[in-house]
Amino acid sequence: MDLQHLEEIQRDCAQRVVKEDLFKDVRWVGGIDLTFESIKETPTKAWACLVVVQLKDLKPVYTEVVEGTVDFPYIPTFLAFRELPLMLRLYEKAKIKPDVFLIDGQGVAHPRGCGIASHFGVETDSVTIGVAKTKLWGVYREPSPERGSFSPLLYRGSVIGVALRTKAKTAPVFVSVGHKISLKTAIDIVLKTSVFRIPEPIRLAHNTLQRVRKGWLG
DNA sequence: GCGACAG
DNA sequence: ATCTTGTCGC
């Protein structure tokens, strides 16, 4: 694999990212997550899940799962080349396309400005938000403990995202623009879809995958 | 050279 | 990400 070439693809993708709100109202919010049969082996079998919830009551209205093989290893800053293929198959199979996608990982808060959330958004031309459980790039100060507080994630003085407290006294999540949305609106949607630390669409997708992997269904 | 490093 | 049970705290 030629990482130099892949970096070039990411820089090109970053130039296409739109950081403004290019949509009207949001009714459906989707969350995508992946799970792997093995983490030590590559290739390995894997599954991707999309759960769409209604923004008004956070009730799930659609769930889709796809199974496949992942052959690219996990390399920090190159996550998209490992997980995007299966996510794109999931997108194509989905009967319902949500107004906004919450993606497990960074959006523009990435060394070359194109984390998996932005990459997926540009590839599918859809609205996306990056929601990561830990930081990849930038510096920040711990936000105050109450739900809703946030502090900027900075890189060379520029705001590339925020550390957002979606639940009181709980570790924050890192939110960044994926594609076709502003950081302000991204924060608003993540807060509106969060009951626990992880936004409902992603949390439900993750829960479904744990059951699928263990053969409880799917 | 050393530490950091999404999932 | 996965391996894994109970347990302590709000």
Side-chain angles (χ1 to χ4, degrees):
Chain A
M1 60 187 127
D2 180 0
L3 296 185
Q4 306 296 300
H5 174 57
L6 298 185
E7 287 185 359
E8 190 51 48
I9 290 175
Q10 293 180 321
R11 280 188 280 270
D12 183 72
C13 174
Q15 293 189 302
R16 306 182 186 216
V17 171
V18 173
K19 304 177 185 176
E20 315 166 47
D21 297 319
L22 293 187
F23 54 88
K24 302 172 184 175
D25 11 88
V26 177
R27 287 202 184 79
W28 294 335
V29 180
I32 295 178
D33 190 34
L34 268 75
T35 194
F36 304 83
E37 185 170 77
S38 167
I39 52 167
K40 294 197 168 187
E41 298 158 46
T42 301
T44 183
K45 180 185 287 186
W47 296 266
C49 176
L50 163 69
V51 169
V52 179
V53 307
Q54 301 184 147
L55 183 58
K56 63 175 183 181
D57 57 8
L58 303 185
K59 296 297 183 185
V61 296
Y62 182 73
T63 298
E64 190 60 78
V65 175
V66 294
E67 178 183 306
T69 301
V70 165
D71 34 42
F72 195 92
Y74 169 67
I75 302 174
T77 78
F78 295 97
L79 178 67
F81 298 100
R82 175 176 172 76
E83 305 191 344
L84 206 50
L86 207 51
M87 284 177 51
L88 294 178
R89 277 188 46 208
L90 178 64
Y91 178 80
E92 292 165 14
K93 184 179 181 182
K95 301 299 183 186
I96 291 182
K97 313 289 186 186
D99 300 304
V100 181
F101 283 93
L102 299 182
I103 308 292
D104 217 322
Q106 317 293 341
V108 300
H110 174 279
R112 289 169 292 286
C114 185
I116 191 168
S118 295
H119 211 139
F120 176 85
V122 169
E123 292 280 312
T124 61
D125 192 36
S126 50
V127 179
T128 63
I129 298 172
V131 183
K133 293 181 288 298
T134 60
K135 186 201 71 174
L136 170 67
W137 198 238
V139 298
Y140 70 102
R141 297 194 0 177
E142 201 65 24
S144 50
E146 74 272 17
R147 174 188 148 88
S149 69
F150 61 86
S151 54
L153 180 59
L154 308 167
Y155 179 68
R156 290 185 174 177
S158 297
V159 178
I160 60 175
V162 297
L164 173 66
R165 196 82 68 184
T166 49
K167 185 176 182 218
K169 303 172 198 170
T170 299
V173 292
F174 298 81
V175 177
S176 57
V177 168
H179 188 45
K180 292 184 168 183
I181 195 168
S182 65
L183 180 57
K184 174 179 169 51
T185 303
I187 292 171
D188 183 55
I189 292 177
V190 169
L191 271 181
K192 285 179 175 170
T193 54
S194 298
V195 176
F196 301 108
R197 182 191 179 213
I198 304 300
E200 287 301 284
I202 294 178
R203 194 180 67 83
L204 295 173
H206 187 272
N207 288 169
T208 293
L209 287 175
Q210 294 308 306
R211 292 179 306 218
V212 168
R213 183 161 54 74
K214 293 179 180 177
W216 294 4
L217 62 92

